[in-house]
Amino acid sequence: MKKTSTRLADGRELIYYDLRDDSVRDATDRRPLDRTVTTSEIRRDPLLGDAVAIASHRQGRTYHPPADECPLCPSEGDRLSEIPDSSYDVVVFENRFPSLAGDSGRCEVVCFTSDHNASFADLTEEQAGLVLEAWTDRTSELSHLPAVEQVFCFENRGAEIGVTLGHPHGQIYAYPFTTPRTALMLRSAATHKEMTGGENLFDAVLERELAGERVVLEGEHWVAFVPYAAHWPYEVHLYPKRRVPDLLGLDEGARTEFPKVYLELLRRFDRIFGENEPPTPYIAAWHQAPFGALEEFDGVVREDLALHLELFTIRRTSGKLKFLAGSESGMNVFINDVPPERAAERLREVASS
């Protein structure tokens, strides 16, 4: 992998990740851009104890542009985009309309391929491996920023999810706090550790799922399963079999096997509802341990949290979406219409050829 860092016309950082070591990235951003101005602010909810990002500048962000005006495609001739070069393998840049900025953290965009009409599932194993390297490198770099406590790599895919740019891409949020969902996991891990005399909660969950009926696919280094208490109609958790706290901890075997396993999982997701259905909308979310202090979590250290990816769709059946209505949105109590065992069975049935 070759990494080349440069700056866009407004001062934002852009990084090329190339498969070839002889790639030259010297194109300059020719757009007449003003310096980016953000209004991001983190406010704490005194009742729930969680955080809300107030970012009014995002109201003016790019919204469903036509394909020939996509800001994530390479620049070509007089059509100038966020990527100055005429081609790329993987590219990462600071979001022009970030939810988090400055002392409130940082937001980045990850473009998986220059092919506008592709999806992550269309990548080759070599390309998917390069994305993994980019995620890992950005996790490392962002973790050293003074304002950053947790790094979150994710992909939103599909208009139903709310994606406003059709080009295959994901994002990275670098939070200045431990996110509420991670905090819940850490508290559960602390309670389990105390009640069992030191047993790791994630190890116990993985052992139970490996012995059960909800495993979707399994390799030497990774296993994918529908969790016992899945919140979403089709939800899969992908774990490395050797517990590590973050992407930096993956060994060479896990890195080599990941593209094959993950691409197979994504391709199965696209087949859940039948060959003639539109691509399945999904969210793919990496859970990594925070880099900040964990004193509030009663004896838990960051190595106790297990890196894993959670993949889920809001589509519950053909032509129907799972909406978060009263119970889910009002009380955070999910109601799942698809038994996890049946979801796992379906995902095994649709193994891609």
Side-chain angles (χ1 to χ4, degrees):
M1 178 192 79
K2 182 179 181 181
K3 175 183 175 182
T4 307
S5 181
T6 185
R7 291 282 171 179
L8 296 173
D10 57 6
R12 289 175 293 132
E13 185 178 19
L14 180 142
I15 306 157
Y16 295 98
Y17 293 89
D18 286 293
L19 291 167
R20 293 172 55 97
D21 290 335
D22 59 355
S23 298
V24 177
R25 300 299 184 185
D26 56 6
T28 59
D29 186 1
R30 294 180 284 131
R31 297 173 298 171
L33 296 180
D34 294 329
R35 207 76 178 172
T36 300
V37 178
T38 64
T39 59
S40 181
E41 175 190 358
I42 301 298
R43 297 187 183 181
R44 292 281 179 178
D45 185 323
L47 298 182
L48 300 180
D50 59 7
V52 177
I54 309 298
S56 59
H57 62 277
R58 285 173 51 80
Q59 286 281 38
R61 65 188 184 274
T62 308
Y63 187 80
H64 292 303
D68 60 355
E69 296 178 16
C70 175
L72 306 185
C73 288
S75 292
E76 185 176 357
D78 293 330
R79 191 190 65 76
L80 306 178
S81 73
E82 289 280 63
I83 297 89
D85 215 321
S86 59
S87 67
Y88 64 84
D89 291 336
V90 173
V91 70
V92 177
F93 60 88
E94 289 184 73
N95 198 323
R96 192 177 177 189
F97 303 97
S99 302
L100 309 166
D103 292 339
S104 297
R106 175 158 157 154
C107 292
E108 297 182 340
V109 177
V110 184
C111 298
F112 304 138
T113 173
S114 60
D115 184 353
H116 181 86
N117 297 311
S119 69
F120 201 117
D122 296 323
L123 301 182
T124 65
E125 290 185 21
E126 186 179 35
Q127 289 173 311
L130 183 61
V131 176
L132 176 62
E133 290 303 311
W135 282 332
T136 305
D137 181 70
R138 297 316 301 154
T139 296
S140 176
E141 293 291 328
L142 293 170
S143 71
H144 289 96
L145 296 180
V148 173
E149 188 167 311
Q150 186 173 3
V151 180
F152 174 47
C153 307
F154 65 100
E155 179 191 3
N156 298 326
R157 192 268 194 114
E160 300 94 329
I161 297 293
V163 174
T164 57
L165 297 176
H167 196 103
H169 73 287
Q171 299 181 66
I172 302 175
Y173 277 22
Y175 297 102
F177 51 80
T178 296
T179 60
R181 189 174 177 86
T182 301
L184 286 173
M185 292 184 188
L186 289 167
R187 292 189 182 98
S188 295
T191 300
H192 185 87
K193 190 174 186 179
E194 180 180 5
M195 293 180 63
T196 60
E199 182 182 64
N200 182 272
L201 173 61
F202 296 92
D203 290 350
V205 167
L206 190 57
E207 181 180 0
R208 182 179 71 176
E209 295 294 357
L210 279 167
E213 59 181 314
R214 290 180 295 275
V215 171
V216 173
L217 59 90
E218 181 179 358
E220 181 181 356
H221 300 279
W222 294 86
V223 60
F225 58 87
V226 178
Y228 170 73
H231 289 57
W232 299 91
Y234 290 93
E235 174 182 340
V236 177
H237 293 189
L238 178 62
Y239 275 68
K241 290 184 176 179
R242 182 179 70 88
R243 172 166 47 90
V244 295
D246 52 44
L247 290 165
L248 303 171
L250 294 174
D251 60 25
E252 192 58 35
R255 291 186 180 281
T256 300
E257 186 181 76
F258 171 78
K260 180 179 180 179
V261 174
Y262 188 47
L263 289 171
E264 169 67 14
L265 187 57
L266 290 180
R267 289 162 186 166
R268 291 192 191 190
F269 249 60
D270 273 344
R271 297 161 67 97
I272 296 172
F273 304 105
E275 295 287 349
N276 298 321
E277 287 291 314
T280 301
Y282 64 73
I283 292 174
W286 280 108
H287 290 263
Q288 304 192 82
F291 289 93
L294 301 178
E295 287 89 350
E296 64 181 289
F297 299 108
D298 298 326
V300 169
V301 295
R302 70 184 311 272
E303 287 73 19
D304 287 330
L305 194 145
L307 166 77
H308 64 283
L309 182 140
E310 298 186 6
L311 173 69
F312 60 91
T313 179
I314 63 170
R315 187 178 292 164
R316 56 187 176 87
T317 189
S318 179
K320 297 179 180 179
L321 300 181
K322 166 64 177 177
F323 292 102
L324 300 189
S327 185
E328 291 90 351
S329 294
M331 284 293 155
N332 201 27
V333 178
F334 275 67
I335 301 169
N336 190 349
D337 303 315
V338 180
E341 293 73 22
R342 174 54 190 148
E345 181 182 14
R346 177 58 181 159
L347 284 161
R348 290 192 296 267
E349 289 174 352
V350 296
S352 62
S353 58

